[in-house]
Amino acid sequence: MTALSLRDVRKNFGATEIIRGVTLDIAPGERHCIIGPNGAGKTTCFNLISGRFPITSGEILLNGERIDTMPPHKINRMGLSRSFQITSIFQRMSVFENLRCALLWSRSYRYSFWSPLWRQKALNEAAEVLLEDLNLTARRDILAGLLSYAEQRALEIGMTIAGGASVVLLDEPTAGMSNTETDYAMALIRRVTHGKTLLMVEHDMKVVFDLADTITVLVYGQVIASGSPVDVRANRAVQEAYLGALEE
Amino acid sequence: MKSRWLILVLIVLAIALPWFFYDWGHHRHAGFLLSMLSQMGMMVILALSYNMLLGQAGLFSLCHATFFGIGGYAAIHLLNAAGTGDLPFPMEVMPLLAGLAGLALAILFGAMATKQRATAFAMITLGIGELMATAALMFHHFFGGEGGVTTNRMIENSLFGLTYSSGLQVYYLILAWTTLAAVLMYYLTLTPLGRMANATRDNFERAQFIGYDPRIVRFLQFALSGFFAGIGGGLYAITYEIVTFDALAAPLSANALLMAYIGGTTVFGGPILGAILITLLQSGVSLLSNSWLVYVGVMFIAMVIFAPTGLAGIVKAHGPIKHAGRMGSLLVPYLRLVIPSLGLLLGFIGLVELMSFLTIGAAQGKKLVLFGGSIDVNATLPWAISLGSFLLGGLWLRFEAAGFHRVWENLSAEVRR
Ligand SMILES: Nc1ncnc2c1ncn2[C@@H]1O[C@H](COP(=O)(O)OP(=O)(O)OP(=O)(O)O)[C@@H](O)[C@H]1O
Ligand SMILES: [Mg+2]
């Protein structure tokens, strides 16, 4: 069974069809990268999978179950978590609180208004470990909105994987980072997504060809190629539509 | 750690204060003081529970008095039932029952309102407030129309054998419930729901992608805040033995907002400060001046413009500087603000009072008395002095404030390093 499947997924915004029949199968544990030019519909795909927008037609399955009519929080509880291209964190809460909030639901605290958080030892330890993992321990009590850009991106990734989702979607996690920051972020991503299914949108070709088991090329809302890095690199259509233009 | 001491001092002070003004000659408590302190207690609950919405959940509600009021009406009817012996509950739990009435109504209205966001939410709560105010005038059986409903709080049923015939006993009941409610509300901020309320305030959408339905978070927060407001209303009913339409109408909702905002919505204790300050103004300044609402209004506007984090926010902003032991460097800059501020303030008060006595005061046949002499409000001199003081103070303050700002910025930058 696949971890995540899209079957002829389409999405219209008004009269324009932005996603024009995408079919995709991602095996459990696979590291899958989506590449494509600006405006191809990569983020829109993520928005459809994660339930942020309803799809116009088609089917999306998570571990064999239909999720395309579910609201985002239900999809998240089923084990799919996503990050945002434009950093989306809790600005006026501390870094530690951000991570602890991201841990809450998966540790079945639900809407509890009776458990005192300071006494939840396992929860607090998990948040500290996560801080350590993200190299944010020194910034523990700072408001998230005051972190540097790269630190906010790290926090974004941390919040995405905190809940222990088995399928992780990362939308351009390294965009806007310097080379060293990118290297650091990629090492982090490798570490924290170990053993999980990873679907990632990325513009940095070096990163993509380094990390991916499978690459899908999306152009104007359609998949024009999908396969191993070697196959995709050799693909004529890809070279013409995308890679060529990029690498020259 | 330090704030814990502050709270302890505040509570001890609240217990002891009536005795400082005890009239040993007549063996009487100062009635004015007791009623003011009692009022403060209720307002502290109202403001704190309002901040569960505004400050903690980012919910801009315009109907908070609805839940305060319903708690009040419920308490009146419960007290009446208890007075005739139909209800076997002691006085001390009445505020809890009033809270449950607030909770029930907040569940009903919260289910409607919290599905909406931002402006739509505010609009719906405005509608709810108006609806309830109209209902209070329409349904006489429960609300008693314009005259309201009355009770007698001496129900002769108390856990501690108290009669509540004296204002002091009532005040201590209020103090106990205010403390309990404040502690519970603080506790709530340290639970998963409390934290997720902050999270949905900061980023409604992101909360969904960590597994939470933000609408349920808001709904629960709204319901619980209604519960606490209801407790405040119950205390109101016990104190005044009458509840009218005023206890749930829009002006009180606005007051809740004012107190929370002026005190500071970003710090838990902020609204306590605001409630105390506004009540002081309300009971103190209103005796001295017809125009006290003008002062509250201007203070509110000034806060929104110059100090949007409120009084508690201003105090909190000094934290890093104090931590670095540099408070001394602020002493002179602060002192330099005093005289121009006083000039501006006195000038403004002078103008407002002159205006007020020229119109309302004249109609009531009152005279403006200052420093023992009466002042002719039609003469030019008082107007000229007030205006001059206002303008000069204002200009001078602008100049000094710029200097203060520079010092503050430099110091903050220094401390950050
Ligand atoms: N909510 C929306 N309403 C209308 N049009 C939208 C919406 N979201 C995206 N689009 C359009 O859909 C197209 C695809 O956008 P999308 O953000 O998915 O591209 P992308 O592949 O992620 O691009 P980038 O590499 O720049 O992030 C764009 O033309 C965009 O304008
Ligand atoms: Mg995108």
Side-chain angles (χ1 to χ4, degrees):
Chain A
M1 191 176 49
T2 57
L4 184 67
S5 294
L6 280 70
R7 305 261 162 81
D8 194 28
V9 170
R10 289 167 190 276
K11 176 67 184 176
N12 287 35
F13 284 119
T16 35
E17 192 171 49
I18 299 292
I19 302 297
R20 303 186 295 161
V22 168
T23 297
L24 207 61
D25 282 305
I26 298 163
E30 186 175 309
R31 292 171 191 281
H32 197 122
C33 283
I34 299 183
I35 59 174
N38 291 112
K42 305 178 295 292
T43 298
T44 305
C45 267
F46 272 24
N47 288 338
L48 298 178
I49 296 169
S50 63
R52 192 174 179 211
F53 299 150
I55 59 174
T56 305
S57 70
E59 275 181 20
I60 303 175
L61 298 102
L62 177 66
N63 300 319
E65 267 188 81
R66 284 282 292 268
I67 57 167
D68 49 65
T69 53
M70 288 185 181
H73 57 273
K74 294 234 168 91
I75 296 174
N76 181 273
R77 293 172 197 171
M78 289 180 61
L80 183 145
S81 185
R82 67 164 294 183
S83 75
F84 289 79
Q85 182 173 356
I86 298 162
T87 307
S88 180
I89 54 182
F90 305 123
Q91 305 273 341
R92 284 163 59 198
M93 298 172 78
S94 75
V95 175
F96 176 78
E97 293 292 358
N98 268 268
L99 291 171
R100 190 161 67 174
C101 279
L103 284 162
L104 284 175
W105 191 273
S106 64
R107 289 172 178 252
S108 42
Y109 285 99
R110 304 170 68 88
Y111 301 100
S112 161
F113 49 85
W114 49 88
S115 348
L117 281 172
W118 75 88
R119 285 182 50 192
Q120 312 306 314
K121 224 170 150 233
L123 172 74
N124 294 329
E125 265 165 23
E128 301 285 0
V129 167
L130 212 49
L131 272 174
E132 194 80 42
D133 263 349
L134 300 169
N135 210 12
L136 288 174
T137 306
R139 314 288 272 163
R140 184 183 188 280
D141 298 316
I142 291 188
L143 296 190
L146 300 178
L147 291 178
S148 75
Y149 177 78
E151 286 168 336
Q152 289 195 2
R153 295 305 290 168
L155 180 59
E156 171 87 41
I157 295 168
M159 287 170 69
T160 307
I161 54 98
S166 60
V167 179
V168 176
L169 277 56
L170 299 179
D171 198 349
E172 305 200 18
T174 69
M177 285 188 180
S178 70
N179 281 340
T180 32
E181 284 168 346
T182 300
D183 290 343
Y184 186 79
M186 286 318 297
L188 172 71
I189 289 169
R190 269 178 215 279
R191 224 171 338 123
V192 295
T193 61
H194 186 78
K196 298 174 194 251
T197 310
L198 175 67
L199 181 61
M200 184 166 108
V201 171
E202 185 54 67
H203 276 300
D204 188 331
M205 286 307 132
K206 190 176 139 296
V207 167
V208 171
F209 283 97
D210 236 26
L211 180 84
D213 304 322
T214 315
I215 295 173
T216 291
V217 186
L218 195 70
V219 178
Y220 290 120
Q222 281 180 319
V223 174
I224 62 163
S226 188
S228 70
V230 182
D231 292 348
V232 168
R233 203 190 278 275
N235 186 305
R236 281 288 293 274
V238 176
Q239 284 175 349
E240 274 165 25
Y242 186 49
L243 281 182
L246 247 176
E247 279 175 358
E248 266 154 34
Chain B
M1 226 43 217
K2 270 204 199 101
S3 62
R4 266 184 218 174
W5 282 107
L6 194 71
I7 289 163
L8 211 64
V9 167
L10 209 65
I11 293 176
V12 169
L13 194 68
I15 294 173
L17 211 51
W19 297 99
F20 292 152
F21 295 87
Y22 190 74
D23 181 349
W24 296 100
H26 297 89
H27 295 284
R28 252 204 332 245
H29 277 284
F32 173 75
L33 181 77
L34 275 181
S35 63
M36 186 176 80
L37 290 175
S38 300
Q39 177 77 11
M40 271 181 195
M42 302 164 210
M43 290 303 117
V44 163
I45 296 184
L46 182 70
L48 279 176
S49 62
Y50 183 71
N51 202 42
M52 285 179 68
L53 303 177
L54 183 65
Q56 290 163 24
L59 288 168
F60 187 67
S61 166
L62 295 168
C63 71
H64 200 57
T66 295
F67 310 111
F68 183 90
I70 207 69
Y73 282 105
I76 292 276
H77 292 296
L78 291 168
L79 283 171
N80 284 337
T84 59
D86 293 339
L87 192 76
F89 286 120
M91 185 67 152
E92 289 78 14
V93 304
M94 289 299 168
L96 175 69
L97 300 179
L100 293 177
L103 174 70
L105 197 65
I107 286 175
L108 180 72
F109 287 142
M112 290 158 53
T114 53
K115 292 218 167 48
Q116 306 299 323
R117 292 176 59 180
T119 314
F121 173 84
M123 296 292 192
I124 291 180
T125 58
L126 184 68
I128 290 170
E130 290 307 305
L131 183 85
M132 283 301 294
T134 314
L137 294 177
M138 276 172 62
F139 300 110
H140 284 246
H141 280 298
F142 187 75
F143 297 104
E146 297 219 11
V149 284
T150 58
T151 188
N152 180 351
R153 69 172 167 245
M154 281 173 260
I155 58 171
E156 288 168 7
N157 187 352
S158 162
L159 289 177
F160 312 107
L162 298 172
T163 57
Y164 294 102
S165 53
S166 78
L168 187 71
Q169 289 181 0
V170 174
Y171 168 61
Y172 282 148
L173 179 71
I174 291 176
L175 185 59
W177 267 103
T178 303
T179 310
L180 180 65
V183 168
L184 285 175
M185 281 187 264
Y186 184 66
Y187 179 86
L188 273 179
T189 64
L190 305 174
T191 64
L193 181 73
R195 288 297 186 227
M196 284 311 298
N198 298 160
T200 56
R201 167 200 69 198
D202 282 7
N203 193 337
F204 184 88
E205 186 156 52
R206 185 51 147 146
Q208 300 177 279
F209 294 92
I210 56 172
Y212 276 87
D213 185 345
R215 286 171 309 179
I216 294 185
V217 173
R218 290 180 162 197
F219 168 71
L220 292 172
Q221 187 82 358
F222 191 89
L224 288 171
S225 112
F227 170 68
F228 289 107
I231 292 178
L235 296 171
Y236 179 95
I238 291 168
T239 310
Y240 299 114
E241 298 180 303
I242 178 170
V243 172
T244 64
F245 153 90
D246 289 333
L248 54 62
L252 189 62
S253 292
N255 239 349
L257 166 65
L258 230 64
M259 292 186 295
Y261 196 92
I262 289 178
T265 57
T266 58
V267 180
F268 178 82
I272 301 179
L273 265 178
I276 291 175
L277 182 70
I278 298 285
T279 311
L280 269 177
L281 282 174
Q282 206 161 11
S283 25
V285 181
S286 69
L287 293 181
L288 301 173
S289 163
N290 273 329
S291 333
W292 75 276
L293 267 174
V294 174
Y295 301 127
V296 174
V298 169
M299 185 165 77
F300 179 62
I301 294 171
M303 287 304 254
V304 172
I305 297 173
F306 299 110
T309 52
L311 294 174
I314 295 176
V315 174
K316 198 172 145 192
H318 288 79
I321 294 172
K322 183 152 178 279
H323 190 75
R326 296 297 307 274
M327 284 297 267
S329 324
L330 282 176
L331 187 66
V332 174
Y334 263 124
L335 285 177
R336 290 181 60 164
L337 294 178
V338 171
I339 295 173
S341 304
L342 273 178
L344 179 71
L345 197 68
L346 291 177
F348 178 71
I349 293 174
L351 287 175
V352 171
E353 293 303 323
L354 283 169
M355 199 96 74
S356 145
F357 274 86
L358 195 61
T359 52
I360 312 167
Q364 294 175 344
K366 284 188 194 159
K367 277 224 160 77
L368 176 56
V369 180
L370 205 65
F371 306 123
S374 97
I375 287 169
D376 179 9
V377 296
N378 290 310
T380 325
L381 191 64
W383 286 89
I385 292 175
S386 299
L387 189 66
S389 168
F390 177 68
L391 290 179
L392 271 177
L395 285 174
W396 189 6
L397 185 61
R398 265 192 85 135
F399 174 75
E400 288 294 344
F404 181 86
H405 189 72
R406 269 194 304 277
V407 174
W408 177 271
E409 288 297 315
N410 288 340
L411 205 55
S412 305
E414 213 179 295
V415 164
R416 237 175 282 135
R417 259 183 268 117

